Amino acid sequence: MATFESKVSDIFDENPRLARNIPVVIRKIFNESESEFRRRLRNEDEEVAMTSLMQLFDILYIDFYFKELNGRFLNWVIDRYSSRFTKPELDEIRAQSESHLDFYEIQDVFPGKGSVIKSLITGEEGFLRDVSSSRGLVKWDIILARCYRLHDDYYSTGSLSLFSQSEKKYILDRIEAALSEKTGSSSSADYADFAKNHWDIFFQIGRDIQRKKINKKYYTNYGELQLCEVRFQVKDLQAVLSEIEHHEDFNFVETKLRRVKKKKRNIMRYRFDWNSFGIEKELEAIKTENLDDGLLLMTSQLDVDGNPLNIELLGDFYIDPFLCRLETRSLELAEFAVDHFSQIFGDALVFKRIIKKNMNALLKSRAGKASAEPDPSEAPDPALVQNMMEKYYLDLLDKKTPALNNLTPREARQNPETLPLVIDWLKGMENVFERDRLNGKETISIEKLKKALDIEF
């Protein structure tokens, strides 16, 4: 016996003039032509292709306004073909016809049953009965979905698109700006009509987020992430080593023999950590500020117990009688080092060149090494890892955070205006922790951070 979904599909096929609108819907959802869409689906695996088709027909049947019908397809089906459906089927079709796309925040998950969802805009909350998604979602995930209310619960049509908690503010800002532009008001009372009539905006936001992920930039405290190698010719090794003793921004690490093929002999190479201690003022000129298009990577040094220090590792410094090599994480630091080293080492070092490393090649190389079978004997003690992770995150509570208006979490917690930012910051952490736990990774509980800040949500 045919389900009501197949009956609806049959009715659409019985009216072939409606199909001419399919290219329009494809363009608005996927930003592709119909031929590009079909070609992509042929090359995708079955699950991905099916998801795209579900998104297409979900909009086509429920939201798209057909000029030929002077209305939307499901409403037209109810008016003209109700005799083909049972009363329970008509009740569900009516519920679907009134639904719209929305961004929801996952409040809780009950694997094998469903999830508690809450609209980002209206705050409307309910239980989504969806077994398959409940096995992949975690608390504070953001989803784009069509959820319709039936018998006091919610059900979804089409497919779910998943976003991280860190994208919540971006989504809210975009939706509120579009709502104001299209309706002249930011009132949630106008939201259902807005979402129904401007469904393409939701897909545009999703595409823009995906594009930002692909083009996402990573920054250090001193410029965009770019591994560099600065090379100097060594004119006077002893002069350099003697000068280093007077500078606290160099920490001795080790000595090691290096084979010089041209000289056909081994030479002693010295390695130092180059850090920010004592040269913080000089570094201010290249400090990364007003970061709004990427992720800031921290490189604080650790003490013997694994606790972060207020000293940042700037690079690895290697020197022998012939060659001095500095490895840094940004071009700005590399260029700073050329000038800084010439001032402190004088003619003992002669600058040769800066080599920018190929980031993609390095990432692929490291990914290949990471995929190798780990040696169980080298696995760290889980309790030690847990302890170090907890210390690391608890220490963050006293560090200034861009997402909290450059306040520390403890400072922001005391201010009523920034308290909501602290809660969202913690939700983002909990979301990451829960996702790691779902994927079998070592993680910690958010409860210690909430207790340290005296916050419940």
Side-chain angles (χ1 to χ4, degrees), residues 10 12 70 84 217 227 255 290 351 379 457:
D10 289 342
F12 188 87
N70 287 321
R84 293 196 188 185
K217 294 182 178 180
L227 300 186
T255 57
N290 302 321
F351 170 66
F457 51 82

Side-chain angles (χ1 to χ4, degrees), residues 63 100-102 190-200 202:
D63 286 335
H100 58 78
L101 287 173
D102 200 358
D190 304 314
Y191 184 58
D193 286 340
F194 160 79
K196 193 73 174 171
N197 294 322
H198 301 288
W199 48 266
D200 53 314
F202 291 80

Side-chain angles (χ1 to χ4, degrees), residues 55 101-104 142-146 159-163 202-203 206:
Q55 289 177 319
L101 287 173
D102 200 358
F103 285 101
Y104 296 93
I142 306 294
I143 59 170
L144 171 61
R146 178 193 305 283
S159 63
L160 307 180
S161 297
L162 179 64
F163 304 93
F202 291 80
F203 290 107

Side-chain angles (χ1 to χ4, degrees), residues 63-116:
D63 286 335
F64 185 74
Y65 189 91
F66 288 88
K67 293 180 181 178
E68 302 93 326
L69 307 178
N70 287 321
R72 296 182 172 88
F73 180 67
L74 271 195
N75 299 89
W76 183 73
V77 167
I78 293 168
D79 290 341
R80 295 195 55 175
Y81 296 92
S82 60
S83 60
R84 293 196 188 185
F85 303 93
T86 66
K87 184 181 183 307
E89 288 175 339
L90 281 173
D91 289 343
E92 190 160 0
I93 292 173
R94 287 191 181 96
Q96 288 192 15
S97 70
E98 296 169 359
S99 66
H100 58 78
L101 287 173
D102 200 358
F103 285 101
Y104 296 93
E105 183 180 65
I106 303 300
Q107 306 296 296
D108 211 345
V109 180
F110 299 87
K113 294 181 180 180
S115 309
V116 179

Side-chain angles (χ1 to χ4, degrees), residues 25-195:
V25 179
I26 288 174
R27 174 66 68 182
K28 287 191 172 184
I29 297 175
F30 305 105
N31 198 29
E32 296 173 325
S33 67
E34 185 178 17
S35 59
E36 290 171 332
F37 176 75
R38 293 182 183 278
R39 184 163 55 250
R40 176 170 65 81
L41 261 58
R42 285 196 298 268
N43 296 326
E44 297 279 17
D45 61 47
E46 185 177 353
E47 184 177 351
V48 174
M50 186 57 66
T51 296
S52 295
L53 288 171
M54 288 170 65
Q55 289 177 319
L56 170 61
F57 285 99
D58 181 68
I59 293 297
L60 204 60
Y61 291 166
I62 302 176
D63 286 335
F64 185 74
Y65 189 91
F66 288 88
K67 293 180 181 178
E68 302 93 326
L69 307 178
N70 287 321
R72 296 182 172 88
F73 180 67
L74 271 195
N75 299 89
W76 183 73
V77 167
I78 293 168
D79 290 341
R80 295 195 55 175
Y81 296 92
S82 60
S83 60
R84 293 196 188 185
F85 303 93
T86 66
K87 184 181 183 307
E89 288 175 339
L90 281 173
D91 289 343
E92 190 160 0
I93 292 173
R94 287 191 181 96
Q96 288 192 15
S97 70
E98 296 169 359
S99 66
H100 58 78
L101 287 173
D102 200 358
F103 285 101
Y104 296 93
E105 183 180 65
I106 303 300
Q107 306 296 296
D108 211 345
V109 180
F110 299 87
K113 294 181 180 180
S115 309
V116 179
I117 60 173
K118 182 178 181 180
S119 169
L120 288 189
I121 301 297
T122 67
E124 187 176 345
E125 191 170 328
F127 188 79
L128 173 62
R129 289 201 175 278
D130 191 286
V131 173
S132 59
S133 68
S134 71
R135 294 195 175 105
L137 295 174
V138 300
K139 197 173 184 179
W140 310 128
D141 275 343
I142 306 294
I143 59 170
L144 171 61
R146 178 193 305 283
C147 299
Y148 62 96
R149 197 178 187 99
L150 189 68
H151 308 311
D152 297 325
D153 280 330
Y154 284 90
Y155 299 85
S156 65
T157 70
S159 63
L160 307 180
S161 297
L162 179 64
F163 304 93
S164 70
Q165 176 68 205
S166 62
E167 287 145 357
K168 178 179 176 179
K169 184 178 184 304
Y170 177 80
I171 292 170
L172 277 170
D173 290 346
R174 287 286 300 273
I175 288 291
E176 288 172 353
L179 181 61
S180 179
E181 178 188 348
K182 299 295 183 182
T183 68
S185 167
S186 59
S187 169
S188 60
D190 304 314
Y191 184 58
D193 286 340
F194 160 79

Side-chain angles (χ1 to χ4, degrees), residues 307-369:
N307 299 309
L309 300 169
N310 291 322
I311 302 171
E312 187 169 8
L313 178 65
L314 303 178
D316 294 314
F317 182 88
Y318 301 88
I319 187 167
D320 61 45
F322 306 104
L323 176 67
C324 173
R325 182 165 56 87
L326 174 72
E327 296 178 352
T328 70
R329 289 158 55 101
S330 77
L331 180 59
E332 287 82 354
L333 264 179
E335 292 172 342
F336 172 86
V338 173
D339 181 60
H340 182 64
F341 288 2
S342 68
Q343 291 181 39
I344 62 177
F345 297 125
D347 296 335
L349 290 181
V350 177
F351 170 66
K352 296 177 69 176
R353 61 184 178 274
I354 296 175
I355 302 169
K356 292 197 291 186
K357 303 291 185 70
N358 185 308
M359 298 291 290
N360 289 331
L362 283 169
L363 290 172
K364 286 180 181 178
S365 171
R366 291 179 182 182
K369 291 178 181 178

